[in-house]
Coordinates of all heavy atoms in Angstrom, one line a residue:
M1 N -25.1 -2.8 -23.4 CA -24.2 -3.4 -22.4 C -23.7 -2.4 -21.4 O -23.3 -1.3 -21.8 CB -23.0 -4.1 -23.1 CG -22.0 -4.7 -22.2 SD -22.7 -6.3 -21.6 CE -21.3 -6.8 -20.6
L2 N -23.9 -2.7 -20.1 CA -23.4 -1.8 -19.1 C -21.9 -1.8 -19.0 O -21.3 -2.8 -19.3 CB -24.0 -2.2 -17.7 CG -25.5 -2.2 -17.6 CD1 -26.0 -2.8 -16.3 CD2 -26.0 -0.8 -17.6
N3 N -21.3 -0.6 -18.6 CA -19.9 -0.7 -18.3 C -19.7 -0.8 -16.8 O -20.7 -0.7 -16.0 CB -19.2 0.6 -19.0 CG -19.7 1.9 -18.4 OD1 -20.1 1.9 -17.2 ND2 -19.8 2.9 -19.3
C4 N -18.4 -0.8 -16.4 CA -18.1 -1.0 -15.0 C -18.6 0.1 -14.1 O -19.0 -0.1 -13.1 CB -16.5 -1.1 -14.9 SG -15.9 -2.7 -15.7
K5 N -18.5 1.3 -14.7 CA -18.9 2.5 -13.9 C -20.4 2.4 -13.7 O -20.9 2.7 -12.5 CB -18.5 3.8 -14.7 CG -18.4 5.0 -13.8 CD -18.0 6.2 -14.6 CE -18.2 7.4 -13.6 NZ -17.8 8.6 -14.5
Q6 N -21.2 2.0 -14.6 CA -22.6 1.9 -14.5 C -23.0 0.8 -13.4 O -23.9 1.0 -12.6 CB -23.3 1.6 -15.7 CG -23.3 2.9 -16.7 CD -23.7 2.4 -18.1 OE1 -23.2 1.5 -18.7 NE2 -24.6 3.2 -18.7
V7 N -22.3 -0.3 -13.5 CA -22.5 -1.4 -12.6 C -22.2 -1.0 -11.1 O -22.9 -1.2 -10.2 CB -21.6 -2.6 -12.9 CG1 -21.7 -3.7 -11.9 CG2 -22.1 -3.2 -14.3
A8 N -21.0 -0.2 -11.0 CA -20.7 0.2 -9.7 C -21.8 1.2 -9.1 O -22.2 1.1 -7.9 CB -19.4 1.0 -9.6
T9 N -22.4 2.0 -10.0 CA -23.4 2.9 -9.5 C -24.6 2.2 -9.1 O -25.3 2.6 -8.2 CB -23.8 4.0 -10.7 OG1 -22.5 4.5 -11.1 CG2 -24.7 5.0 -10.3
L10 N -25.0 1.1 -9.9 CA -26.2 0.4 -9.7 C -26.0 -0.7 -8.6 O -27.0 -1.4 -8.2 CB -26.7 -0.3 -10.9 CG -27.1 0.7 -12.0 CD1 -27.2 0.0 -13.4 CD2 -28.5 1.2 -11.7
A11 N -24.8 -1.0 -8.1 CA -24.5 -2.1 -7.2 C -25.4 -2.2 -6.0 O -25.9 -3.3 -5.6 CB -23.0 -2.0 -6.8
S12 N -25.7 -1.1 -5.4 CA -26.5 -1.0 -4.1 C -27.9 -1.4 -4.5 O -28.5 -2.2 -3.7 CB -26.4 0.4 -3.6 OG -26.3 0.3 -2.2
D13 N -28.4 -0.8 -5.5 CA -29.8 -1.3 -6.0 C -29.8 -2.7 -6.4 O -30.9 -3.4 -6.1 CB -30.3 -0.4 -7.1 CG -30.5 1.1 -6.7 OD1 -30.8 1.3 -5.5 OD2 -30.5 1.9 -7.6
Y14 N -28.8 -3.2 -7.0 CA -28.8 -4.6 -7.4 C -28.9 -5.5 -6.2 O -29.7 -6.5 -6.1 CB -27.5 -4.9 -8.2 CG -27.2 -6.3 -8.5 CD1 -27.9 -6.9 -9.4 CD2 -26.2 -7.1 -7.8 CE1 -27.7 -8.3 -9.8 CE2 -26.0 -8.3 -8.0 CZ -26.7 -9.0 -9.1 OH -26.5 -10.3 -9.4
L15 N -28.1 -5.2 -5.1 CA -28.2 -6.0 -3.9 C -29.5 -5.9 -3.2 O -30.0 -6.8 -2.5 CB -27.0 -5.6 -3.0 CG -25.6 -6.0 -3.4 CD1 -24.5 -5.5 -2.4 CD2 -25.5 -7.5 -3.5
D16 N -30.2 -4.8 -3.4 CA -31.5 -4.5 -2.8 C -32.6 -5.1 -3.6 O -33.7 -4.9 -3.3 CB -31.8 -3.1 -2.5 CG -30.9 -2.5 -1.4 OD1 -30.6 -3.2 -0.5 OD2 -30.8 -1.3 -1.4
N17 N -32.2 -5.7 -4.8 CA -33.2 -6.2 -5.7 C -34.2 -5.1 -6.2 O -35.3 -5.3 -6.4 CB -34.1 -7.3 -5.1 CG -34.2 -8.5 -5.9 OD1 -34.1 -8.4 -7.2 ND2 -34.4 -9.7 -5.3
N18 N -33.5 -4.0 -6.5 CA -34.3 -2.8 -6.6 C -34.0 -2.1 -8.0 O -34.1 -0.9 -8.1 CB -33.9 -1.8 -5.5 CG -34.9 -0.7 -5.3 OD1 -36.1 -0.9 -5.8 ND2 -34.6 0.3 -4.7
T19 N -33.5 -2.9 -9.0 CA -33.3 -2.3 -10.2 C -33.9 -3.2 -11.4 O -33.8 -4.4 -11.3 CB -31.7 -2.1 -10.5 OG1 -31.5 -1.7 -11.8 CG2 -30.9 -3.3 -10.2
S20 N -34.4 -2.4 -12.4 CA -34.9 -3.2 -13.6 C -33.8 -3.6 -14.4 O -34.0 -4.4 -15.4 CB -35.9 -2.2 -14.4 OG -35.1 -1.1 -14.7
L21 N -32.6 -3.2 -14.1 CA -31.4 -3.7 -15.0 C -30.7 -4.8 -14.5 O -29.6 -5.1 -14.8 CB -30.4 -2.5 -15.1 CG -30.9 -1.2 -15.7 CD1 -30.0 0.0 -15.5 CD2 -31.2 -1.4 -17.2
R22 N -31.3 -5.6 -13.5 CA -30.8 -6.7 -12.9 C -30.1 -7.7 -13.8 O -29.0 -8.1 -13.5 CB -31.8 -7.5 -12.0 CG -31.3 -8.5 -11.2 CD -32.3 -8.9 -10.1 NE -31.7 -9.9 -9.3 CZ -30.9 -9.6 -8.2 NH1 -30.8 -8.3 -8.0 NH2 -30.4 -10.5 -7.5
W23 N -30.7 -8.0 -14.8 CA -30.2 -9.1 -15.8 C -29.0 -8.5 -16.6 O -28.1 -9.3 -16.9 CB -31.3 -9.6 -16.8 CG -32.2 -10.4 -16.0 CD1 -33.5 -10.3 -15.5 CD2 -31.9 -11.8 -15.4 NE1 -33.9 -11.3 -14.8 CE2 -33.0 -12.2 -14.7 CE3 -30.8 -12.6 -15.5 CZ2 -33.0 -13.5 -14.1 CZ3 -30.8 -13.9 -15.0 CH2 -31.9 -14.3 -14.2
Q24 N -29.0 -7.3 -16.9 CA -28.0 -6.6 -17.6 C -26.7 -6.6 -16.6 O -25.6 -6.8 -17.0 CB -28.2 -5.2 -18.0 CG -29.3 -5.3 -19.1 CD -29.4 -3.9 -19.6 OE1 -28.5 -3.3 -20.2 NE2 -30.6 -3.4 -19.7
I25 N -27.0 -6.4 -15.4 CA -25.8 -6.4 -14.4 C -25.3 -7.8 -14.3 O -24.1 -8.0 -14.2 CB -26.4 -5.9 -13.0 CG1 -26.8 -4.4 -13.1 CG2 -25.3 -6.0 -11.9 CD1 -27.4 -3.8 -12.0
R26 N -26.2 -8.8 -14.1 CA -25.7 -10.2 -14.1 C -24.8 -10.6 -15.3 O -23.9 -11.3 -15.1 CB -26.9 -11.1 -13.9 CG -27.6 -10.9 -12.6 CD -28.6 -12.1 -12.3 NE -27.8 -13.2 -11.8 CZ -28.3 -14.0 -10.8 NH1 -29.4 -13.8 -10.3 NH2 -27.5 -15.0 -10.4
L27 N -25.3 -10.2 -16.4 CA -24.6 -10.4 -17.7 C -23.2 -9.8 -17.5 O -22.2 -10.4 -17.8 CB -25.4 -9.9 -18.8 CG -25.0 -10.3 -20.2 CD1 -25.2 -11.7 -20.4 CD2 -25.7 -9.5 -21.3
H28 N -23.1 -8.5 -17.1 CA -21.8 -7.9 -17.0 C -20.9 -8.7 -16.0 O -19.8 -8.9 -16.2 CB -22.0 -6.5 -16.5 CG -20.7 -5.7 -16.4 ND1 -20.2 -4.9 -17.4 CD2 -19.8 -5.7 -15.4 CE1 -19.1 -4.4 -16.9 NE2 -18.8 -4.9 -15.7
L29 N -21.5 -9.1 -14.8 CA -20.8 -9.8 -13.8 C -20.2 -11.2 -14.3 O -19.2 -11.6 -13.9 CB -21.7 -10.1 -12.6 CG -22.1 -8.8 -11.8 CD1 -23.1 -9.2 -10.6 CD2 -21.0 -8.0 -11.3
L30 N -21.0 -11.8 -15.2 CA -20.4 -13.0 -15.8 C -19.2 -12.8 -16.5 O -18.3 -13.8 -16.6 CB -21.5 -13.6 -16.8 CG -22.7 -14.3 -16.3 CD1 -23.5 -14.7 -17.4 CD2 -22.2 -15.7 -15.5
M31 N -18.9 -11.6 -17.1 CA -17.8 -11.4 -17.8 C -16.7 -10.5 -17.1 O -15.6 -10.4 -17.7 CB -18.2 -10.7 -19.2 CG -19.0 -11.7 -20.1 SD -19.4 -10.8 -21.6 CE -20.8 -10.0 -21.0
C32 N -17.0 -10.0 -16.0 CA -16.1 -9.0 -15.4 C -15.8 -9.4 -14.0 O -16.6 -9.2 -13.0 CB -16.8 -7.6 -15.4 SG -15.6 -6.4 -14.8
A33 N -14.6 -9.9 -13.8 CA -14.2 -10.4 -12.4 C -14.0 -9.1 -11.5 O -14.3 -9.2 -10.3 CB -12.8 -11.1 -12.5
N34 N -13.7 -8.0 -12.0 CA -13.5 -6.8 -11.2 C -14.8 -6.4 -10.5 O -14.9 -6.2 -9.3 CB -13.0 -5.7 -12.0 CG -11.5 -5.7 -12.2 OD1 -10.8 -6.4 -11.5 ND2 -11.1 -5.1 -13.3
C35 N -15.9 -6.4 -11.3 CA -17.2 -6.0 -10.8 C -17.8 -7.1 -9.8 O -18.5 -6.8 -8.9 CB -18.1 -5.7 -11.9 SG -17.8 -4.1 -12.7
R36 N -17.4 -8.3 -10.2 CA -17.8 -9.5 -9.3 C -17.2 -9.2 -7.9 O -17.9 -9.4 -6.9 CB -17.4 -10.9 -9.9 CG -18.3 -11.5 -10.9 CD -18.2 -12.9 -11.0 NE -16.8 -13.4 -11.3 CZ -16.3 -13.5 -12.6 NH1 -17.1 -13.3 -13.6 NH2 -15.1 -13.9 -12.8
R37 N -15.9 -9.0 -7.9 CA -15.2 -8.7 -6.6 C -15.9 -7.5 -5.9 O -16.1 -7.5 -4.7 CB -13.8 -8.5 -6.8 CG -13.0 -8.8 -5.6 CD -11.5 -8.5 -5.7 NE -10.9 -9.0 -7.0 CZ -10.3 -8.3 -8.0 NH1 -10.1 -7.1 -7.8 NH2 -9.9 -9.0 -9.0
F38 N -16.2 -6.4 -6.6 CA -16.7 -5.1 -6.1 C -18.1 -5.5 -5.4 O -18.3 -5.1 -4.3 CB -16.9 -4.1 -7.2 CG -17.5 -2.9 -6.7 CD1 -16.8 -2.0 -6.0 CD2 -18.8 -2.6 -7.0 CE1 -17.4 -0.9 -5.5 CE2 -19.4 -1.5 -6.5 CZ -18.7 -0.6 -5.8
I39 N -18.9 -6.2 -6.2 CA -20.3 -6.5 -5.6 C -20.2 -7.4 -4.4 O -20.8 -7.2 -3.4 CB -21.1 -7.2 -6.7 CG1 -21.3 -6.2 -7.8 CG2 -22.4 -7.8 -6.1 CD1 -22.7 -5.7 -8.0
R40 N -19.3 -8.4 -4.4 CA -19.0 -9.3 -3.3 C -18.7 -8.5 -2.1 O -19.0 -8.7 -1.0 CB -18.0 -10.3 -3.7 CG -17.7 -11.4 -2.7 CD -18.8 -12.5 -2.7 NE -18.7 -13.3 -1.6 CZ -19.6 -13.4 -0.6 NH1 -20.7 -12.6 -0.6 NH2 -19.4 -14.1 0.5
H41 N -17.6 -7.6 -2.3 CA -17.1 -6.9 -1.2 C -18.3 -5.9 -0.5 O -18.3 -5.8 0.6 CB -15.9 -6.1 -1.5 CG -14.7 -7.0 -1.7 ND1 -13.5 -6.5 -2.0 CD2 -14.5 -8.3 -1.6 CE1 -12.6 -7.5 -2.1 NE2 -13.3 -8.6 -1.9
L42 N -19.0 -5.3 -1.5 CA -20.1 -4.4 -1.0 C -21.1 -5.3 -0.1 O -21.6 -4.9 0.8 CB -20.7 -3.9 -2.2 CG -21.9 -2.9 -2.0 CD1 -21.3 -1.7 -1.3 CD2 -22.6 -2.4 -3.3
Q43 N -21.3 -6.5 -0.7 CA -22.3 -7.4 0.0 C -21.8 -7.8 1.4 O -22.5 -7.7 2.4 CB -22.4 -8.7 -0.8 CG -23.6 -9.4 -0.6 CD -23.8 -10.5 -1.6 OE1 -22.8 -11.1 -2.1 NE2 -25.1 -10.9 -1.9
I44 N -20.5 -8.0 1.5 CA -19.8 -8.3 2.8 C -20.0 -7.1 3.8 O -20.3 -7.2 4.9 CB -18.3 -8.8 2.7 CG1 -18.3 -10.1 2.0 CG2 -17.6 -8.8 4.0 CD1 -16.9 -10.5 1.6
T45 N -19.7 -6.0 3.2 CA -19.7 -4.7 4.0 C -21.1 -4.5 4.5 O -21.2 -4.2 5.7 CB -19.3 -3.5 3.1 OG1 -18.0 -3.8 2.6 CG2 -19.2 -2.3 3.9
R46 N -22.1 -4.6 3.7 CA -23.5 -4.4 4.2 C -23.9 -5.5 5.2 O -24.5 -5.2 6.1 CB -24.4 -4.5 2.9 CG -24.3 -3.2 2.0 CD -24.9 -3.5 0.7 NE -26.1 -4.0 0.8 CZ -27.3 -3.5 0.3 NH1 -27.2 -2.3 -0.4 NH2 -28.5 -4.0 0.4
D47 N -23.5 -6.8 4.9 CA -23.9 -7.8 5.8 C -23.2 -7.7 7.2 O -23.9 -7.8 8.1 CB -23.3 -9.2 5.1 CG -23.8 -10.3 5.8 OD1 -25.0 -10.4 6.1 OD2 -22.9 -11.3 6.1
V48 N -21.9 -7.4 7.2 CA -21.2 -7.1 8.5 C -21.9 -6.0 9.2 O -22.0 -6.0 10.4 CB -19.7 -6.9 8.3 CG1 -19.1 -6.4 9.5 CG2 -19.0 -8.3 7.8
G49 N -22.0 -4.9 8.5 CA -22.7 -3.7 9.1 C -24.0 -4.0 9.7 O -24.4 -3.5 10.8
A50 N -24.9 -4.7 9.0 CA -26.2 -5.0 9.4 C -26.1 -5.9 10.7 O -26.8 -5.7 11.7 CB -27.0 -5.8 8.4
R51 N -25.2 -6.9 10.7 CA -25.1 -7.8 11.8 C -24.6 -7.0 13.0 O -25.1 -7.2 14.2 CB -24.0 -8.9 11.6 CG -24.6 -10.1 10.9 CD -23.5 -10.9 10.3 NE -24.0 -11.6 9.1 CZ -24.4 -12.9 9.2 NH1 -24.4 -13.5 10.3 NH2 -24.8 -13.4 8.0
M52 N -23.6 -6.1 12.9 CA -23.1 -5.5 14.0 C -24.1 -4.5 14.5 O -24.0 -4.2 15.7 CB -21.8 -4.7 13.6 CG -20.6 -5.8 13.5 SD -19.0 -5.0 13.1 CE -18.6 -4.4 14.7
A53 N -24.9 -3.9 13.7 CA -26.0 -3.0 14.2 C -26.9 -3.8 15.2 O -27.4 -3.1 16.1 CB -26.7 -2.4 13.0
I54 N -27.0 -5.0 14.9 CA -27.9 -5.8 15.8 C -27.1 -6.3 17.0 O -27.5 -6.1 18.1 CB -28.5 -7.0 15.0 CG1 -29.5 -6.5 13.9 CG2 -29.2 -8.0 16.0 CD1 -29.8 -7.5 12.9
N55 N -25.9 -6.9 16.7 CA -25.2 -7.5 17.9 C -24.3 -6.6 18.7 O -24.1 -6.9 19.8 CB -24.3 -8.7 17.3 CG -25.1 -9.7 16.5 OD1 -26.2 -10.0 17.0 ND2 -24.6 -10.2 15.5
E56 N -23.8 -5.5 18.0 CA -22.9 -4.6 18.8 C -23.4 -3.2 18.4 O -22.7 -2.5 17.6 CB -21.5 -4.8 18.3 CG -21.0 -6.2 18.6 CD -19.6 -6.5 18.0 OE1 -18.6 -5.7 18.1 OE2 -19.5 -7.6 17.3
P57 N -24.4 -2.7 18.8 CA -25.0 -1.4 18.3 C -24.2 -0.3 18.7 O -24.3 0.7 18.0 CB -26.3 -1.3 19.2 CG -26.4 -2.5 20.1 CD -25.3 -3.4 19.8
G58 N -23.2 -0.5 19.6 CA -22.3 0.7 19.9 C -21.0 0.8 19.0 O -20.2 1.7 19.1
A59 N -20.8 -0.1 18.2 CA -19.7 -0.2 17.3 C -19.5 0.9 16.4 O -20.5 1.4 15.8 CB -19.6 -1.6 16.6
D60 N -18.3 1.4 16.3 CA -18.1 2.5 15.4 C -17.7 2.0 14.0 O -17.6 0.9 13.8 CB -17.1 3.6 16.0 CG -15.7 2.9 16.2 OD1 -15.5 1.7 15.7 OD2 -14.9 3.5 16.9
A61 N -17.6 3.0 13.1 CA -17.3 2.6 11.7 C -16.0 1.8 11.6 O -15.9 1.0 10.7 CB -17.3 4.0 10.8
E62 N -15.0 2.2 12.4 CA -13.7 1.6 12.2 C -13.8 0.1 12.6 O -13.2 -0.7 11.9 CB -12.7 2.3 13.1 CG -11.3 2.0 12.6 CD -10.3 2.6 13.6 OE1 -10.6 3.7 14.2 OE2 -9.2 2.0 13.8
A63 N -14.6 -0.2 13.7 CA -14.8 -1.6 14.1 C -15.5 -2.3 13.0 O -15.2 -3.5 12.7 CB -15.6 -1.6 15.3
V64 N -16.5 -1.8 12.3 CA -17.1 -2.4 11.2 C -16.1 -2.7 10.1 O -16.1 -3.8 9.6 CB -18.3 -1.6 10.7 CG1 -19.0 -2.2 9.5 CG2 -19.4 -1.4 11.8
W65 N -15.4 -1.7 9.7 CA -14.4 -1.8 8.7 C -13.4 -2.9 8.9 O -13.0 -3.7 8.1 CB -13.8 -0.5 8.5 CG -12.8 -0.5 7.2 CD1 -11.4 -0.1 7.4 CD2 -13.1 -0.8 5.9 NE1 -10.9 -0.3 6.2 CE2 -11.8 -0.7 5.3 CE3 -14.2 -1.2 5.2 CZ2 -11.7 -1.0 3.9 CZ3 -14.1 -1.5 3.9 CH2 -12.9 -1.4 3.2
N66 N -13.0 -3.0 10.2 CA -12.0 -4.0 10.6 C -12.6 -5.4 10.3 O -11.9 -6.4 9.8 CB -11.5 -3.9 12.1 CG -10.6 -2.9 12.3 OD1 -9.9 -2.4 11.3 ND2 -10.5 -2.3 13.4
K67 N -13.9 -5.6 10.7 CA -14.4 -6.9 10.5 C -14.6 -7.3 9.0 O -14.5 -8.3 8.5 CB -15.8 -6.9 11.2 CG -15.8 -7.2 12.6 CD -16.9 -8.0 13.2 CE -16.8 -8.3 14.6 NZ -17.9 -8.9 15.3
V68 N -14.9 -6.2 8.2 CA -15.1 -6.3 6.7 C -13.8 -6.8 6.2 O -13.7 -7.8 5.4 CB -15.5 -5.0 6.1 CG1 -15.4 -5.2 4.6 CG2 -17.0 -4.8 6.5
Q69 N -12.6 -6.2 6.5 CA -11.4 -6.5 6.1 C -11.0 -8.0 6.4 O -10.5 -8.8 5.6 CB -10.3 -5.6 6.8 CG -10.4 -4.2 6.4 CD -9.9 -4.0 4.9 OE1 -8.8 -4.5 4.6 NE2 -10.6 -3.3 4.1
T70 N -11.3 -8.4 7.7 CA -11.0 -9.8 8.1 C -11.8 -10.7 7.2 O -11.3 -11.8 6.9 CB -11.5 -9.9 9.6 OG1 -10.8 -8.9 10.3 CG2 -11.0 -11.3 10.1
R71 N -13.1 -10.5 6.9 CA -13.9 -11.4 6.1 C -13.4 -11.5 4.8 O -13.4 -12.5 4.1 CB -15.4 -11.0 6.2 CG -16.1 -11.9 7.3 CD -17.6 -11.8 7.1 NE -18.1 -12.3 6.0 CZ -19.5 -12.3 5.7 NH1 -20.3 -11.8 6.6 NH2 -20.0 -12.9 4.7
I72 N -13.0 -10.4 4.2 CA -12.5 -10.3 2.8 C -11.2 -11.1 2.7 O -11.0 -11.9 1.8 CB -12.3 -8.9 2.3 CG1 -13.8 -8.3 2.0 CG2 -11.5 -8.8 1.0 CD1 -13.7 -6.7 1.8
K73 N -10.3 -10.9 3.7 CA -9.1 -11.7 3.8 C -9.3 -13.2 3.8 O -8.6 -13.9 3.2 CB -8.2 -11.1 4.9 CG -7.3 -10.0 4.5 CD -6.4 -9.7 5.7 CE -6.0 -8.2 5.6 NZ -5.6 -7.6 6.9
K74 N -10.3 -13.5 4.7 CA -10.5 -15.0 4.9 C -11.0 -15.5 3.6 O -10.7 -16.7 3.2 CB -11.7 -15.1 5.9 CG -11.2 -15.6 7.2 CD -12.4 -16.0 8.1 CE -12.0 -16.2 9.6 NZ -13.2 -16.3 10.4
E75 N -11.9 -14.8 2.9 CA -12.4 -15.4 1.6 C -11.3 -15.5 0.6 O -11.4 -16.4 -0.3 CB -13.5 -14.4 1.0 CG -14.7 -14.4 2.0 CD -16.0 -14.3 1.3 OE1 -15.9 -14.1 0.0 OE2 -17.1 -14.4 1.9
A76 N -10.4 -14.6 0.7 CA -9.3 -14.6 -0.4 C -8.3 -15.7 -0.2 O -7.6 -16.2 -1.1 CB -8.6 -13.2 -0.3
Q77 N -8.3 -16.2 1.1 CA -7.2 -17.2 1.5 C -7.9 -18.4 2.2 O -7.7 -18.6 3.3 CB -6.1 -16.7 2.3 CG -5.5 -15.4 1.6 CD -4.6 -14.7 2.6 OE1 -4.8 -14.7 3.8 NE2 -3.4 -14.3 2.1
P78 N -8.8 -19.1 1.5 CA -9.7 -20.1 2.3 C -8.8 -21.2 2.8 O -9.2 -21.9 3.8 CB -10.6 -20.6 1.2 CG -10.0 -20.2 -0.1 CD -9.1 -19.1 0.2
D79 N -7.6 -21.5 2.4 CA -6.9 -22.6 2.8 C -5.9 -22.3 4.0 O -5.3 -23.2 4.5 CB -5.9 -23.1 1.7 CG -6.8 -23.6 0.6 OD1 -7.9 -24.1 0.8 OD2 -6.3 -23.5 -0.6
Q80 N -5.9 -21.0 4.3 CA -4.8 -20.6 5.3 C -5.6 -20.2 6.6 O -5.6 -19.1 7.0 CB -4.0 -19.4 4.9 CG -3.2 -19.7 3.7 CD -2.4 -18.6 3.1 OE1 -2.2 -17.6 3.9 NE2 -1.9 -18.6 1.8
E81 N -6.1 -21.2 7.3 CA -6.6 -21.0 8.6 C -6.0 -21.9 9.6 O -5.6 -22.9 9.4 CB -8.1 -21.2 8.5 CG -8.8 -19.9 8.0 CD -10.3 -19.8 8.4 OE1 -10.5 -19.7 9.6 OE2 -11.1 -20.0 7.5
Ligands
ZN1 ZN1 -17.0 -4.5 -14.8

């Protein structure tokens, strides 16, 4: 069984579909809300970063981070829009 630290280390490879431990990570995610949140936020960060690289190539890291924060906040409060 993987622990949270191992899952955090493997998170990037997991999102890239690049680890043989995929099922062990999924198993851990089923039981661990913290790591679920961590992976979700990592996914959002990568997603926003990738989109901005295409749509706003001049954007700096702070602009990317602001968008990530906005998306995470939106997901946390889906009823408050
Ligand atoms: Zn965990």
Side-chain angles (χ1 to χ4, degrees):
M1 182 67 180
L2 297 171
N3 62 35
C4 294
K5 204 176 167 184
Q6 290 170 310
V7 170
T9 306
L10 292 163
S12 218
D13 287 337
Y14 173 75
L15 290 176
D16 287 335
N17 226 333
N18 198 19
T19 171
S20 55
L21 298 172
R22 188 164 184 83
W23 288 104
Q24 292 191 55
I25 294 170
R26 293 195 81 140
L27 194 65
H28 182 97
L29 294 179
L30 280 176
M31 290 180 282
C32 183
N34 283 334
C35 288
R36 277 204 300 275
R37 200 183 314 124
F38 176 78
I39 295 256
R40 183 81 192 110
H41 288 182
L42 184 64
Q43 202 170 29
I44 291 172
T45 307
R46 288 164 48 124
D47 190 43
V48 168
R51 272 164 211 265
M52 284 184 79
I54 294 165
N55 299 327
E56 300 169 51
D60 58 13
E62 201 185 330
V64 175
W65 182 238
N66 284 338
K67 280 212 176 172
V68 169
Q69 294 286 314
T70 306
R71 260 191 70 175
I72 289 173
K73 270 185 204 154
K74 251 190 194 171
E75 294 214 352
Q77 307 167 326
D79 298 331
Q80 296 181 17
E81 276 202 67

